[in-house]
């Protein structure tokens, strides 16, 4: 038992014999009295408010107790890892035993679909065909309808639930059960395997047939029939699909050395889900093993500009590494073919977009459902790239072009499910609107800020004046959602929209998902300089557990404001941590006559890891002057109360100690309270 | 003799070794010292109560399997020390927890005022989609109450989390809290599965998770790990 406990409970016997002493509960009267004392008698908060440099170390007995608990937890963890291992193995077996192509035969059992035999269902997740025996029907709570899945996908979902992978967004560590067949996994090897690729069933082709037989004995309700045909299955299916898609056009992107197919045509060999048929669908698919595969169905879509295509691919190429763990599978729906919208998946420049949209307009393949009414609705499904960081949310607005006044009225209704920017899980969003391309006329408008919400109701009309009808053809509306903050505006999402969808005096109700930021050149020219007028600072943060201190590296500043009459400043940076019991303060050297100074200096603040959550790092940049007071150039504050990138930088530093975290932040003009300078 | 640890040993071993379950949820009980976290856990796991105050050394956990929505859910419930001196140890366990029970004592203003600090701790150290329930304990001690039900309710609404008043001593709402937390996590599970359908399918992502990687760690370009 600890000293503290003894103080709390064992009143009036300060010299009592240690440890074995019988403990007395504080009586009710005592508790009542203490509860009325305004100062905390709780040990925790009392200590929380005093910043001690070192917490009392744990004594032997405490260490022993904790060690016993950890041991117990480890035992449980080992069991858990083995259990997850069994789940993984079960799923892998299922995948290995899948023999069908999923096109005109069942993906699992390989039964052919025909006119006479049963026809297949399409798995909701993998979109492969599956017979009714090998599929399961489940109720999706978000779709509010029951959906059909093949047993592999259903099992995958079960596995994600059972293993806890749904929570951690990835499988936890697991141990595969011991195998009779040692060349497969080895004995209880701690495994982090390349995993369950999309095309795992094609891997089965390399397995020996007896092995497959052996595994199928486990718990599968399918029989492996012919394994001799499997080795060529993958190739076969490719051939078949290219035959079936008669209009197939091929693009090669040599730089990426990835096979890329673009299959186009109305004659989809697979029965199309009624929803898709109605809307017309273009689905882009990536296959990690094959490279990008572009499929368009139910829409005959011609693309002359293979450049545009290439660009698209390169964009993916750039992201390929960062998202290699993912399988982007995104779908663009449109009810109307005359709609062309830019999403992050389709990063064409404006001209590319125009040509693309013009072509897709001319096609008119899919059945139309929308009548020419005064109100039309578009929707773009989000892409899964942004899902990496969580969806960025959506925005609803109405647009109308007033041909008499030559103006565009943008009625911003609301945004939904925006990204949380501060630690409370909320944000202070506002929108900036701009007409692209920039230059001719300055079109930049903003909405008011709606505070402390992720679902702001803007209900605000913004009007762009002096837009001619011919402008509509070549201009786009660019909306960015920003988080309002004293320390700069943080990006929350953006949307671009081609204005040629507008017809004079017709209200368009639009709904779309926000995208990740797509960096453009001359950001300042697009959005105005105010965000960056005070320059930026590049710093590194690292909490060293060994030194028990926060290491702040000031690397450099860029675009500082000139303060001296020679057109330069003489900048230096002051750093402090608030609140800090040790009152540590540092400053860098002065870089004379320099607006982009490089410091490369490191400073160590002695502090406890647990205190960091309540401390604020304040950096202020000053212009050194002799004879008069130094000029203030800008400041940066990092803490758990920060927002956006600054918050992430700070949290990352806490969550991943002993790693250097670099961040480039804008300086703000707000001066911190004088006690820090 | 400490009545808390006595007869419980075989019970937990039985429960812990039981592999007959569908889901495993890790829960964490946090809050100021002496608000009744340990009592709360003992009431739930062993249906026992003692009014003697014995401060938890660092961390402890108990295992209980419950049957909910036709699924067997194994709960590993971590009991943490409220004292600041163990903070380094306790925060290390935040990251594995799917649910938090944030507890204050209705007879202790200080413990209520610290709730916001605890929320910050959760936000800082836990995974982003961890679920939290606010619990005002010791509601049997009506005479000494200093935090009204409404204040607790209001704070919970402000934080966007659910709220219960409980008594470990009188066994009021203890089971309800855990059941509700399990429900919330289950809801969250189906939501997240539906929204991340693509991630699951790709499957590959799963293998990237290793110990020491956090929620966003893998994708953070600023991180040198």
């Amino acid at each position: 038992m600890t000293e503290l406990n003894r103080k709390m409970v064992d009143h009036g016997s300060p010299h009592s014999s240690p440890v074995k002493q019988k403990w007395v509960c504080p009586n009710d009267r005592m508790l009542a009295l203490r509860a009325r004392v305004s100062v905390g008698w709780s040990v925790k908060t009392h200590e929380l408010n005093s910043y001690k440099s070192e917490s009392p170390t744990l004594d032997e007995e405490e260490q022993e107790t904790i060690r016993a608990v950890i041991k117990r937890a480890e035992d449980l963890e080992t069991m858990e890892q083995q259990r997850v291992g069994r789940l993984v193995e079960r799923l892998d077996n299922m995948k290995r035993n899948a023999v069908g192509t999923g096109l005109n035969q069942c993906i699992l059992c390989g039964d052919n679909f025909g006119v006479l035999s049963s026809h297949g269902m399409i798995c909701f997740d993998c979109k492969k065909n599956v017979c009714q025996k090998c599929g399961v029907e489940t109720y999706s709570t978000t779709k509010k309808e029951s959906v059909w899945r093949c047993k592999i996908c259903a099992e995958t979902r079960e596995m994600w639930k059972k293993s806890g992978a749904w929570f951690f967004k990835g499988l936890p560590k697991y141990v595969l059960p011991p195998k009779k067949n040692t060349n497969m996994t080895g004995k209880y090897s701690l495994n982090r395997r390349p995993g369950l690729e999309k095309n795992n069933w094609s891997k089965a082709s390399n397995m020996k047939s007896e092995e497959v037989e052996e595994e199928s004995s486990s718990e599968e309700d399918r029989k492996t029939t012919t394994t001799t045909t499997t080795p060529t299955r993958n190739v076969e299916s490719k051939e078949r699909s290219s035959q079936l898609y008669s209009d197939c056009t091929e693009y090669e992107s040599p730089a990426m050395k990835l096979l890329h197919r673009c299959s186009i045509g109305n004659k989809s060999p697979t029965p199309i889900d009624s929803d898709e048929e109605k809307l017309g669908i273009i689905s882009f698919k990536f296959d990690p093993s094959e490279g990008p595969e572009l499929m368009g169905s139910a829409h005959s879509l011609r693309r002359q500009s293979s450049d545009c295509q290439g660009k698209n691919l390169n964009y993916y190429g750039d992201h390929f590494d960062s998202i290699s763990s993912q399988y982007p599978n995104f779908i663009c729906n449109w009810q109307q073919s005359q709609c062309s919208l830019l999403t992050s998946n389709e990063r064409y420049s404006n001209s590319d977009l125009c040509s693309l949209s013009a072509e897709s307009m001319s096609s008119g393949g899919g059945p139309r459902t929308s009548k020419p009414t005064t109100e039309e609705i578009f929707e773009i499904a989000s892409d899964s790239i942004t899902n990496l960081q969580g969806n960025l949310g959506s925005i609803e607005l109405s647009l109308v072009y007033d041909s008499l006044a030559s103006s565009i009225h943008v009625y911003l209704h609301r945004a939904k499910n925006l990204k949380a920017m501060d630690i409370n899980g909320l944000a202070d969003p506002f929108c900036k609107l701009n007409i692209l391309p920039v230059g001719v006329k300055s079109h930049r408008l903003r909405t008011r800020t709606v505070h402390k919400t992720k679902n702001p109701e803007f209900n605000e009309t913004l009007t762009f004046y002096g837009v001619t009808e011919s402008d509509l053809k070549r201009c786009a509306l660019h909306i960015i959602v920003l988080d309002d903050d004293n320390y700069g505006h943080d990006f929350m999402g953006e949307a671009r929209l081609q204005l040629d969808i507008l017809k004079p005096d017709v209200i368009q109700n639009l709904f779309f998902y926000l995208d990740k930021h797509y960096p453009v050149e001359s950001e300042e020219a697009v959005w105005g300089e105010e965000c960056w007028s005070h320059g930026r600072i590049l710093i590194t943060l690292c909490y060293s557990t060994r030194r028990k201190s926060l290491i702040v590296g000031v690397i450099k500043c860029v675009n500082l404001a000139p303060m001296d009459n020679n057109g330069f400043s003489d900048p230096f940076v002051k750093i402090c941590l608030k609140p800090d019991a040790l009152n540590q303060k540092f400053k860098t050297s002065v870089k004379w006559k320099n607006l982009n100074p490089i410091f490369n200096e490191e400073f160590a603040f002695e502090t406890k890891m647990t205190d960091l959550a309540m401390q604020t790092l304040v950096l202020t940049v000053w212009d050194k002057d002799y004879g008069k007071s130094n000029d203030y150039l800008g400041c940066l504050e990092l803490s758990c109360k920060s927002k956006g990138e600054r918050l992430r930088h700070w949290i990352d530093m806490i969550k991943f100690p002993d790693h250097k975290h670099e961040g480039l932040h804008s300086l703000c003009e707000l001066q911190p309270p004088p006690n820090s300078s | 003799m400490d009545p808390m640890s006595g007869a419980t040993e075989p019970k937990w071993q039985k429960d812990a070794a039981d592999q007959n379950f569908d889901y495993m949820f890790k829960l964490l009980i946090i809050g100021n010292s002496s608000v009744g976290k340990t009592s709360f856990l003992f009431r739930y796991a062993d249906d026992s109560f003692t009014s003697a105050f014995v401060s938890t050394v660092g961390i402890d956990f108990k295992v209980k399997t419950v049957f909910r929505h036709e699924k067997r859910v194994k709960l590993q419930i971590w009991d943490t020390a409220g004292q600041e001196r163990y903070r380094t140890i306790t925060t290390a366990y935040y990251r594995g927890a799917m649910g938090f029970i944030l507890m204050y004592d209705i007879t202790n203003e200080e413990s209520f005022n610290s709730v916001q600090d605890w929320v910050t701790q959760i936000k800082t150290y836990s995974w982003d989609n961890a679920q939290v329930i606010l619990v005002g304990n010791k509601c049997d001690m009506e005479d000494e109450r200093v935090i009204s039900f409404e204040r607790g309710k209001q704070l919970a609404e402000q934080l966007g989390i659910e709220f219960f008043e409980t008594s470990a001593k009188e066994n009021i709402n203890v089971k309800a809290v855990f059941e509700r937390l399990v429900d919330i996590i289950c809801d969250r599970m189906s939501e997240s599965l539906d929204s991340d359908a693509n991630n699951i399918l790709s499957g590959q992502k799963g293998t990237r998770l290793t110990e020491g990687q956090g929620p966003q760690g893998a994708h953070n370009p600023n991180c040198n790990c």
Side-chain angles (χ1 to χ4, degrees), chain A residues 32-70:
Chain A
L33 281 172
R34 288 196 146 183
R36 284 185 174 76
V37 177
S38 60
V39 198
W41 57 286
S42 151
V43 178
K44 180 250 154 192
T45 38
H46 175 66
E47 295 232 316
L48 200 69
N49 295 333
S50 64
Y51 286 87
K52 288 190 206 159
S53 56
E54 199 63 44
S55 60
T57 48
L58 304 176
D59 65 36
E60 280 292 313
E61 200 181 334
E62 289 172 327
Q63 286 180 23
E64 203 44 59
T65 318
I66 292 171
R67 228 175 268 132
V69 173
I70 292 173

Side-chain angles (χ1 to χ4, degrees), chain A residues 5 35 40 44-45 62 72 77 79 125 157 169 192-193 324-327 423 652 655-656 662, chain B residues 12 32 55 60 82 85-86 95 107 110 114 123-124 194 196 199 201-202 204 207-208 210 220 222:
Chain A
N5 301 338
K44 180 250 154 192
T45 38
E62 289 172 327
R72 218 151 47 90
E77 188 58 34
M79 278 197 291
D125 283 353
R157 293 172 77 88
K169 307 278 180 221
R192 293 198 284 123
R193 310 175 346 133
S324 60
S325 61
Q326 257 216 337
Y327 187 89
I423 199 138
D652 279 348
K655 278 190 177 168
F656 309 103
E662 196 177 82
Chain B
W12 97 255
N32 277 14
S55 176
D60 193 10
R85 60 197 296 260
Y86 299 112
R95 206 185 289 174
T107 67
E110 180 81 28
S114 305
K123 297 270 184 195
T124 312
D194 283 332
D196 298 351
N199 303 356
L201 268 180
S202 72
Q204 279 192 324
T207 57
R208 297 181 35 139
T210 56
N220 183 5
N222 296 334

Side-chain angles (χ1 to χ4, degrees), chain B residues 28-222:
Chain B
L28 204 66
I29 310 178
I30 56 171
N32 277 14
S33 183
S34 81
V35 297
K37 297 180 292 296
T38 307
S39 300
F40 191 74
L41 176 57
F42 273 82
R43 169 61 78 190
Y44 181 65
D46 306 330
D47 203 16
S48 65
F49 180 81
T50 172
S51 50
F53 177 73
V54 181
S55 176
T56 307
V57 178
I59 38 159
D60 193 10
F61 73 87
K62 284 191 171 287
V63 177
K64 188 178 169 90
T65 308
V66 294
F67 195 72
R68 196 97 185 116
H69 305 303
E70 289 150 14
K71 297 281 180 199
R72 284 151 308 203
V73 183
K74 183 164 166 175
L75 301 176
Q76 186 187 17
I77 310 158
W78 287 90
D79 175 27
T80 62
Q83 290 176 28
E84 168 69 14
R85 60 197 296 260
Y86 299 112
R87 193 62 54 77
T88 322
I89 303 163
T90 52
T91 49
Y93 287 85
Y94 280 39
R95 206 185 289 174
M98 296 176 178
F100 287 84
I101 293 173
L102 203 180
M103 190 174 290
Y104 67 88
D105 175 358
I106 63 153
T107 67
N108 180 346
E109 176 95 32
E110 180 81 28
S111 71
F112 182 73
N113 294 339
S114 305
V115 166
Q116 189 63 55
D117 290 343
W118 287 106
V119 170
T120 306
Q121 294 271 332
I122 295 173
K123 297 270 184 195
T124 312
Y125 296 104
S126 77
W127 280 78
D128 292 345
N129 50 354
Q131 304 300 311
V132 188
I133 285 188
L134 182 67
V135 167
N137 196 25
K138 307 192 187 174
C139 72
D140 54 293
M141 295 164 75
E142 203 53 58
D143 297 345
E144 284 143 63
R145 177 193 279 274
V146 290
I147 306 296
S148 66
F149 181 85
E150 284 68 32
R151 275 184 76 190
K153 183 85 189 153
Q154 201 181 355
L155 179 64
E157 267 164 22
Q158 208 180 322
L159 295 167
I161 57 181
E162 297 203 26
F163 174 65
F164 284 88
E165 276 199 356
T166 64
S167 164
K169 189 178 176 187
E170 303 289 334
N171 198 3
I172 300 168
N173 268 345
V174 177
K175 205 173 165 209
V177 168
F178 282 98
E179 282 178 352
R180 185 63 201 139
L181 189 52
V182 168
D183 286 356
I184 296 175
I185 296 173
C186 284
D187 291 349
R188 179 76 205 132
M189 175 160 71
S190 16
E191 265 172 46
S192 117
L193 274 174
D194 283 332
S195 62
D196 298 351
N198 291 333
N199 303 356
I200 301 165
L201 268 180
S202 72
Q204 279 192 324
K205 203 171 175 203
T207 57
R208 297 181 35 139
L209 182 79
T210 56
E211 275 180 347
Q213 263 186 351
Q216 281 99 25
H219 316 298
N220 183 5
N222 296 334

Side-chain angles (χ1 to χ4, degrees), chain A residues 146-389:
Chain A
S146 52
V147 292
W148 192 266
R149 287 196 180 85
C150 71
K151 278 195 177 162
I152 290 178
C153 289
E155 184 70 23
T156 308
R157 293 172 77 88
E158 269 307 293
M159 211 255 307
W160 270 63
K161 282 186 187 175
K162 288 184 174 178
S163 64
W166 66 272
F167 182 80
F168 300 106
K169 307 278 180 221
L171 276 179
K173 219 155 119 187
Y174 58 87
V175 181
L176 284 176
K179 262 297 188 152
K180 314 127 208 178
N181 208 333
T182 44
N183 68 351
M184 273 295 297
T185 52
K187 282 175 196 157
Y188 267 98
S189 55
L190 200 63
N191 226 330
R192 293 198 284 123
R193 310 175 346 133
L196 345 141
E197 289 103 310
K198 176 79 182 164
N199 258 10
N200 228 9
W201 33 80
S202 68
K203 272 165 99 187
S205 55
N206 302 327
M207 300 292 159
K208 296 185 190 99
S209 58
E210 79 246 33
E211 197 183 338
V212 179
E213 226 100 66
E214 200 174 278
E215 281 149 8
S216 67
S217 68
S218 56
E219 212 182 312
E220 314 304 54
D221 18 14
R222 281 166 293 101
K223 295 276 188 300
T224 47
T225 47
T226 49
T227 45
T228 45
T229 55
T230 53
T232 53
R233 194 193 318 135
N234 206 10
V235 185
E236 244 175 43
S237 69
K238 266 186 217 162
E239 281 171 1
R240 190 174 298 126
S241 63
S242 54
Q243 281 162 13
L244 287 167
Y245 295 100
S246 55
D247 289 354
C248 178
T249 324
E250 284 215 0
Y251 294 100
E252 284 285 335
S253 173
M256 292 179 66
K257 293 190 203 128
L258 290 168
L259 177 67
H260 159 230
R261 280 179 301 158
C262 177
S263 341
I264 301 161
N266 284 333
K267 340 171 180 173
S268 170
T270 56
I272 302 168
D273 178 282
S274 59
D275 259 19
E276 291 176 0
E277 206 154 48
K278 207 163 42 193
L279 296 172
I281 176 169
I282 291 195
S283 64
F284 299 83
K285 283 189 176 182
F286 263 104
D287 191 312
S289 62
E290 274 186 13
E293 179 185 351
L294 183 66
M295 276 178 58
S297 60
H299 234 280
S300 74
L301 178 66
R302 283 181 295 115
R303 290 181 190 197
Q304 291 160 352
S305 157
S306 60
D307 274 349
C308 157
Q309 198 68 96
K311 205 175 284 173
N312 198 7
L313 274 178
N314 281 334
Y315 172 74
Y316 288 136
D318 292 339
H319 282 69
F320 206 65
D321 288 341
S322 64
I323 56 163
S324 60
S325 61
Q326 257 216 337
Y327 187 89
N329 181 359
F330 39 85
I331 295 167
C332 287
N333 293 333
W334 57 73
Q335 287 187 319
Q336 245 234 350
S337 58
Q338 277 170 318
C339 135
S340 62
L341 295 143
L342 264 169
T343 71
S344 70
N345 316 321
E346 302 169 88
R347 294 293 183 194
Y348 312 103
S349 68
N350 276 334
S351 56
D352 284 339
L353 183 92
C354 289
S355 66
L356 176 65
S357 60
E359 277 155 26
S360 60
M361 259 189 260
S362 68
S363 57
R368 304 270 175 88
T369 48
S370 56
K371 306 173 279 298
T373 52
T374 49
E375 298 214 340
E376 290 153 343
I377 300 165
F378 304 107
E379 178 172 324
I380 304 179
S382 96
D383 59 298
S384 56
I385 295 174
T386 51
N387 279 345
L388 257 183
Q389 312 248 317

